[in-house]
Amino acid sequence: MDGWTDPRAAMGTLPQYPHAHQDELVSAAGRGMASVAAAVLGDRLNSFDADRNSDGRQYFVMKDSQGESATVWVDAVPLVRGTLADTATNTTSQHYVIRVSDRLPTRMLHRVLAHELGELMAVRERAASGLVPVREDFLREGVQLSAQRELSAPDRGRIGELNWLAARTTAPDLTAEQQLAARAEFSALLDTCGIRPTAEMGDEEAFKDQERAARARQQASADYLSVGSRRLFDTLAHPIEALPPADATALRAARDAAVRAERQVEAFIGRREITMPMPGYDQNGLPLPRDQLEPAAERWAQYREQVSERTVGALEGQLAAGQFPLRKVVIGGGASLTGRDPEALLVDAAGRWHLDPGNGIVQSADQDRDLAQWMGVDPYAAVEDPRHRVSIHAVRVWEDQLATQGDVVNGRARLRLGLGGELLAEIRPSGPDGQESGTPLWVACDGTPSIATGLTPDAVPGMPRGATGVESRSEAVRLIGDRLRELEGQAVPGARELRAWLTLAERGGADARTVLGALESSALKGALMDGLDEETGARLDNCFTALDSTGKWETAREAAPGRALLGDEVAENRFDPRAAQHWIIAGSGGTGVANAEIILRENPDAYVTIIGNAPPDALRHQVQYPEMLERYTTGENPRLTIGRTEVGAVETYQHENGETWFQADYVIEATGERRTARAGGYVCSLGRTNPLPPALQVLADEVRDRGGEISGDLQFDRDDQYIGYGLTFTVDGREHRVDVDGAASWQLPREIFAPKTRVQAALNEMGQRGLPSETGNAAPGFSPIARQSALRARAVAEAAAGDPDAVRRLPTVPERWQRPDLTRPSAVTSTAPAPAPAPAPVAMAATAPTAVTPAVETETETETETEAAAAPGTQADTPAEPTAQPAAHPTPEPTAQPEPEASAQPTPEPTAQPTPEASAQPAPEASEGRGAPAAPAAPAPGISGSHLWQMGVHRGGAGRPTAPDRQEQQPPPPGHEPPEPGVGLDD
């Protein structure tokens, strides 16, 4: 879906304002939204009232002429270059969030809001009727008319602008000069909408064609035009030769300005050939039919397996020939495949959405409609109704099509250090059965590897919370190890030995009970707590609580195999839903709700009790949660119960059948009734921990063992859009950069970004502001991550092209993302709570850019002289605290060939560092004989690319290290048509 753009904004020439300008825009919206709504909607609007909720954010309650209500929120935030506003249209809970650029001049605000109100009404009305959006704009220049001959949401936005401008031409509070300026803008917009012929009347053939198209567009627009717009149509919707002299002069000036702006934009943006095929489309450029998505997903999975086997074979061949592969490496996939670099070697286990047995992602097609802009897919093609959730099969097709744009290995990888300090990727391919290869492949990393391995691990029950909380066993061991290092520095006997044992036990996978027992029985137990301030002492004490809770959880899993599960084991279908008939799910957030749905769906005899705190607000704005409540908590035999409690460590008891069962006390919030849930199965979905991604944990150990350090920074593009975080591994005089993208990038590793810095808190606040709960979405969600990864790909490409400010490394979130002071007096003073969701379910999405005519240069309103100084450049990275750890034992001598790491033992020994030995494996820098790779087969040759590739993602290979040779016989990608009966893909 389209939003609102202006050529001057695309060139970054809009003024920069101080942070307080955000509050000015929001306050101005509060003062003018009612008049804008009245002008745009006319007699379709019954009332439009303003209010504030408890956190100070203002909103507007809109009632239409049919008596239906909707809530509109307005905020001013940093937006992508060229975008003046976008709107998240949540037709599930009838909340609509308009986000205007914080660089928008106040004088342009109300016209922008008029466009957004027009768009959101179009989405709302079509969703209420179960109709997907009109895909092609009808109001556009030219004689070509779309076959559908209906107005799109952007078309309705342009009519909203027309209605607003028409109202301004007669507004009594404006000067005559301002009224004339509004009339000139109205007239110029008729050109953009194709409602007036622009050919000279003397060119009879061209003029007649344009006149015929203009008449059709006028007829399609008539029902949505205000009385004032109709009146102006009668005067202005004519050829320039037939206009009154003053209007003709104004129109000539507007057309001249538009030509100048278009030339500037072409010079700034340039024209790019688009060759990237769009995922989810067939060879004819049409979306895959819904009834073919499931078989198409199966065929694309088979094709991906073939590409993986071919890639693995090529890498094995290079290694066998003594050529050490040097490749750009990306580890992980999911929605981050939007930023897929076809030249990079992708290592991805095809997890999460390929394994999830649920119905699909938890948002509707409406809520994820901006996937068309960022991933190049049409979510509406995957649903019958725009309010329905996007099919899991569609997601799998999209991801596999993007993954196979280049070399891909189905499997897992982790980064390692070579003996010479090289950065290597240890890759373990997996076959169709999911079993990983016992022999790894080794690839030297060219440039900065990218990690996008998805959501971080689940927390186990009983982890201490709060300011001195400890979230995991690994964090507890790390903090105790840091304290032992301090004692070692104080020459406390035994501190060094205990720390070395603790480090090796953690890396070797010793159970938490063994670790806790060793610490509790140590003579250093008292010394660990001595001399600490209150806060540090409380945190260290919580380390022991965390180990104890982890020990109880490990015991429960051993006593009830297959029935004590982490949420990810359910989400990835690594469990038997019939292992128990009653399940307790600890955690009432999105993961817990999704796990409950999977169990209830996969086992029709199961009962589920969800326990935890009150569900987050975002759940009631999604599609999944209301549907679950309606389906499973009502009727004669409800199968889902939701209770409130503070979840502690897991509690077990011996059931009469001899099995270990689980229990938990909770309260029914509506009645206050206290109950105890007893169940044979227990799923822990209590939130995420914040460790290093698994692909980096061994690398971090190796760097610290060599006395190195690790530091981190947040990464933003030049528009202050978050594109992930970066880590710098400094060791032996060398620096290795690794970037983290995707959902994992929203969970900063606490060992690098310490909680006391509040960087994680600032990131959370930014994510919540950019995607408020009313949108039904969240920053780590599928569609937002697709957007983030597309922006990241653009920024990285611009940086590679020599732009030093394309990727900005900052110590924390830019000030522009901090919410301004909303407590000062303004036009809205009520403190009423936010309205409840509308009873009729009807979905959500963020709008993206729509082309509109820039304001004419004769505009007479003056802008407040509050432009800020030039935007600051790249800031210095945050100094990292030293994290070097001396190796517990001397590093063994390397072998000539990279060897897999030794299997974990309770008391492990450090393993040999992999290295390409010169005599057996040439160093990456010295490798020869790598020919230019053949381009991967395109699943849909000749089809226009996604928006990502229009933004200029680097695709050339000049100066880049070459990829492994491919096999000569390359199977073609699957088409959208099913194979003939009896003919398989390989026949």
Side-chain angles (χ1 to χ4, degrees):
M1 177 141 358
D2 292 333
W4 212 89
T5 59
D6 181 288
R8 293 169 299 177
M11 293 182 290
T13 57
L14 283 180
Q16 298 183 32
Y17 296 95
H19 190 229
H21 184 62
Q22 296 183 0
D23 196 18
E24 179 183 336
L25 286 169
V26 174
S27 297
R31 295 190 298 271
M33 277 291 283
S35 61
V36 171
V40 172
L41 304 179
D43 57 9
R44 298 197 308 280
L45 179 68
N46 185 17
S47 64
F48 200 89
D49 300 316
D51 216 328
R52 285 192 188 274
N53 68 355
S54 57
D55 66 5
R57 291 183 299 144
Q58 71 176 12
Y59 62 89
F60 308 90
V61 179
M62 176 178 64
K63 290 188 178 180
D64 60 27
S65 57
Q66 304 300 315
E68 299 294 332
S69 296
T71 304
V72 180
W73 306 75
V74 177
D75 199 3
V77 298
L79 294 180
V80 176
R81 74 192 76 169
T83 302
L84 301 188
D86 64 23
T87 298
T89 54
N90 190 340
T91 54
T92 295
S93 61
Q94 288 298 307
H95 287 267
Y96 301 83
V97 181
I98 297 176
R99 297 164 294 204
V100 299
S101 171
D102 62 351
R103 291 181 174 174
L104 180 71
T106 308
R107 69 175 183 274
M108 300 172 65
L109 174 65
H110 291 148
R111 179 175 171 181
V112 169
L113 292 176
H115 182 101
E116 298 304 311
L117 279 175
E119 278 212 29
L120 73 84
M121 286 301 296
V123 176
R124 181 171 180 264
E125 290 166 7
R126 292 189 70 85
S129 300
L131 301 175
V132 300
V134 178
R135 290 187 175 90
E136 190 175 357
D137 292 348
F138 192 60
L139 302 184
R140 60 184 182 183
E141 295 183 79
V143 298
Q144 191 71 31
L145 298 176
S146 61
Q148 201 166 354
R149 297 207 174 191
E150 291 185 76
L151 298 187
S152 66
D155 289 337
R156 292 282 298 276
R158 296 180 189 106
I159 289 180
E161 293 179 61
L162 290 170
N163 289 346
W164 166 245
L165 292 170
R168 286 176 62 80
T169 63
T170 58
D173 59 330
L174 298 184
T175 66
E177 187 178 9
Q178 290 170 332
Q179 291 175 349
L180 287 174
R183 181 184 179 97
E185 290 184 47
F186 183 100
S187 181
L189 190 53
L190 296 180
D191 274 6
T192 303
C193 295
I195 293 175
R196 172 202 289 127
T198 57
E200 294 183 2
M201 295 181 69
D203 187 352
E204 186 173 343
E205 183 178 354
F207 178 81
K208 285 185 176 180
D209 289 342
Q210 291 187 11
E211 186 179 40
R212 188 180 306 110
R215 190 177 302 115
R217 295 182 180 112
Q218 291 178 28
Q219 293 172 352
S221 307
D223 290 344
Y224 304 104
L225 294 171
S226 66
V227 174
S229 290
R230 294 191 190 102
R231 185 179 65 252
L232 284 177
F233 258 58
D234 293 339
T235 305
L236 299 176
H238 302 291
I240 193 169
E241 296 91 336
L243 293 180
D247 292 317
T249 299
L251 181 58
R252 288 191 188 95
R255 287 178 175 177
D256 290 343
V259 169
R260 290 195 299 272
E262 183 177 357
R263 289 172 180 169
Q264 289 175 320
V265 171
E266 288 182 7
F268 177 75
I269 298 179
R271 296 186 179 274
R272 297 180 175 87
E273 181 182 357
I274 303 167
T275 58
M276 185 74 171
M278 295 174 70
Y281 289 72
D282 64 16
Q283 285 88 343
N284 299 313
L286 300 175
L288 295 174
R290 285 192 301 275
D291 60 356
Q292 293 185 22
L293 285 173
E294 186 171 2
E298 295 176 358
R299 292 194 298 275
W300 274 100
Q302 294 173 19
Y303 176 65
R304 174 172 172 157
E305 183 62 34
Q306 292 174 344
V307 175
S308 175
E309 291 174 355
R310 185 174 64 247
T311 303
V312 168
L315 292 173
E316 290 175 336
Q318 278 191 283
L319 290 167
Q323 299 175 352
F324 202 83
L326 176 65
R327 299 296 302 272
K328 293 194 293 185
V329 174
V330 175
I331 302 174
S336 67
L337 289 170
T338 299
R340 165 78 157 112
D341 182 349
E343 294 182 356
L345 172 64
L346 172 67
V347 184
D348 178 32
R352 189 61 180 100
W353 298 115
H354 285 76
L355 304 175
D356 193 318
N359 295 327
I361 56 182
V362 299
Q363 286 81 26
S364 68
D366 267 344
Q367 289 172 310
D368 282 341
R369 60 181 182 159
D370 59 344
L371 281 171
Q373 179 190 8
W374 301 111
M375 187 175 268
V377 301
D378 183 1
Y380 292 103
V383 296
E384 183 177 351
D385 187 295
R387 297 163 292 186
H388 291 174
R389 293 161 63 181
V390 177
S391 162
I392 197 71
H393 304 300
V395 173
R396 291 169 181 167
V397 169
W398 300 340
E399 292 188 0
D400 285 345
Q401 284 184 291
L402 288 169
T404 53
Q405 293 302 320
D407 289 332
V408 60
V409 173
N410 289 343
R412 302 184 186 277
R414 57 184 181 180
L415 299 183
R416 306 286 303 274
L417 283 179
L419 280 183
E422 311 92 339
L423 191 59
L424 307 178
E426 177 191 18
I427 302 170
R428 293 188 179 271
S430 57
D433 58 357
Q435 295 298 313
E436 291 187 357
S437 169
T439 304
L441 301 172
W442 294 93
V443 172
C445 298
D446 173 40
T448 301
S450 180
I451 309 295
T453 45
L455 295 171
T456 53
D458 294 288
V460 305
M463 289 294 112
R465 306 294 179 91
T468 59
V470 178
E471 64 173 18
S472 66
R473 158 220 173 109
S474 61
E475 183 179 23
V477 170
R478 177 174 58 82
L479 292 174
I480 294 173
D482 290 344
R483 175 57 176 157
L484 286 169
R485 185 185 295 109
E486 293 176 3
L487 296 178
E488 181 182 344
Q490 299 168 12
V492 175
R496 180 180 183 280
E497 291 75 14
L498 181 58
R499 184 171 68 84
W501 180 90
L502 191 64
T503 299
L504 293 175
E506 178 67 11
R507 295 181 187 178
D511 60 79
R513 292 159 295 184
T514 299
V515 173
L516 182 61
L519 291 171
E520 292 282 7
S521 62
S522 171
L524 294 176
K525 174 68 182 298
L528 285 171
M529 306 298 296
D530 288 345
L532 299 178
D533 59 61
E534 182 178 356
E535 179 179 345
T536 306
R539 179 173 287 108
L540 199 62
D541 187 58
N542 280 335
C543 290
F544 287 86
T545 303
L547 289 171
D548 180 60
S549 296
T550 305
K552 291 178 180 177
W553 177 246
E554 291 171 351
T555 300
R557 285 173 67 87
E558 291 173 1
R563 293 185 288 113
L565 305 170
L566 293 171
D568 284 343
E569 294 175 283
V570 176
E572 296 176 0
N573 206 21
R574 293 183 282 123
F575 83 117
D576 178 5
R578 296 183 180 273
Q581 297 305 99
H582 188 180
W583 295 81
I584 294 173
I585 293 184
S588 54
T591 303
V593 168
N595 291 336
E597 180 189 53
I598 291 171
I599 292 173
L600 291 167
R601 171 185 165 173
E602 297 297 305
N603 181 356
D605 299 321
Y607 292 83
V608 172
T609 301
I610 298 177
I611 59 172
N613 297 320
D617 288 341
L619 283 182
R620 65 186 178 96
H621 299 294
Q622 294 176 352
V623 182
Q624 179 188 49
Y625 188 59
E627 285 183 349
M628 279 186 60
L629 295 181
E630 175 66 24
R631 181 173 183 180
Y632 296 115
T633 65
T634 60
E636 297 181 359
N637 185 29
R639 298 169 55 206
L640 174 63
T641 302
I642 301 177
R644 303 288 174 265
T645 189
E646 289 291 335
V647 179
V650 64
E651 296 182 35
T652 62
Y653 71 99
Q654 202 72 14
H655 190 264
E656 59 186 16
N657 65 7
E659 294 180 338
T660 296
W661 275 38
F662 307 90
Q663 65 181 16
D665 297 329
Y666 65 95
V667 175
I668 299 295
E669 190 172 54
T671 63
E673 178 187 357
R674 296 182 178 276
R675 296 183 183 178
T676 299
R678 294 183 173 85
Y682 187 102
V683 180
C684 181
S685 303
L686 289 168
R688 301 288 171 175
T689 57
N690 291 46
L692 284 165
L696 297 177
Q697 289 173 356
V698 174
L699 173 64
D701 291 340
E702 292 173 343
V703 167
R704 286 168 175 152
D705 287 347
R706 295 191 187 188
E709 297 180 355
I710 309 171
S711 60
D713 50 57
L714 304 186
Q715 296 182 339
F716 293 83
D717 66 11
R718 62 171 59 258
D719 302 316
D720 284 330
Q721 304 299 303
Y722 180 63
I723 56 175
Y725 70 82
L727 297 174
T728 301
F729 297 83
T730 305
V731 60
D732 298 334
R734 301 179 64 169
E735 285 190 352
H736 296 294
R737 290 280 305 181
V738 178
D739 292 341
V740 180
D741 184 22
S745 68
W746 287 88
Q747 299 290 123
L748 304 177
R750 286 160 67 107
E751 62 188 278
I752 311 299
F753 301 89
K756 64 182 179 182
T757 65
R758 287 192 51 79
V759 177
Q760 179 69 68
L763 188 65
N764 293 344
E765 291 165 4
M766 181 191 72
Q768 176 64 21
R769 188 176 182 201
L771 283 170
S773 60
E774 291 82 14
T775 67
N777 231 313
F782 187 86
S783 181
I785 289 301
R787 174 186 181 275
Q788 173 182 309
S789 298
L791 292 176
R792 173 179 174 75
R794 178 173 73 176
V796 170
E798 290 172 345
D803 185 346
D805 297 323
V807 178
R808 302 166 60 224
R809 300 173 182 173
L810 306 179
T812 190
V813 172
E815 182 189 19
R816 291 173 68 194
W817 280 107
Q818 297 174 13
R819 191 177 297 281
D821 183 11
L822 299 176
T823 59
R824 68 176 183 80
S826 68
V828 183
T829 57
S830 171
T831 57
V842 252
M844 152 127 228
T847 62
T850 300
V852 303
T853 302
V856 295
E857 296 182 354
T858 56
E859 195 169 20
T860 59
E861 295 182 61
T862 58
E863 182 62 358
T864 306
E865 299 295 334
T866 56
E867 296 186 10
T874 305
Q875 301 181 30
D877 295 344
T878 305
E881 295 181 3
T883 54
Q885 295 184 9
H889 299 284
T891 304
E893 289 298 318
T895 57
Q897 187 82 2
E899 295 292 339
E901 188 176 55
S903 58
Q905 300 296 329
T907 55
E909 292 295 327
T911 58
Q913 304 293 334
T915 177
E917 192 69 21
S919 59
Q921 294 280 0
E925 294 79 359
S927 296
E928 297 178 356
R930 294 187 297 271
I943 304 305
S944 296
S946 69
H947 186 76
L948 166 65
W949 303 102
Q950 295 183 43
M951 294 191 298
V953 174
H954 173 76
R955 304 203 57 216
R960 299 283 178 176
T962 53
D965 293 333
R966 299 175 187 269
Q967 296 176 3
E968 293 183 3
Q969 298 300 320
Q970 182 168 305
H976 74 290
E977 297 294 339
E980 293 294 328
V983 180
L985 285 173
D986 297 325
D987 295 332

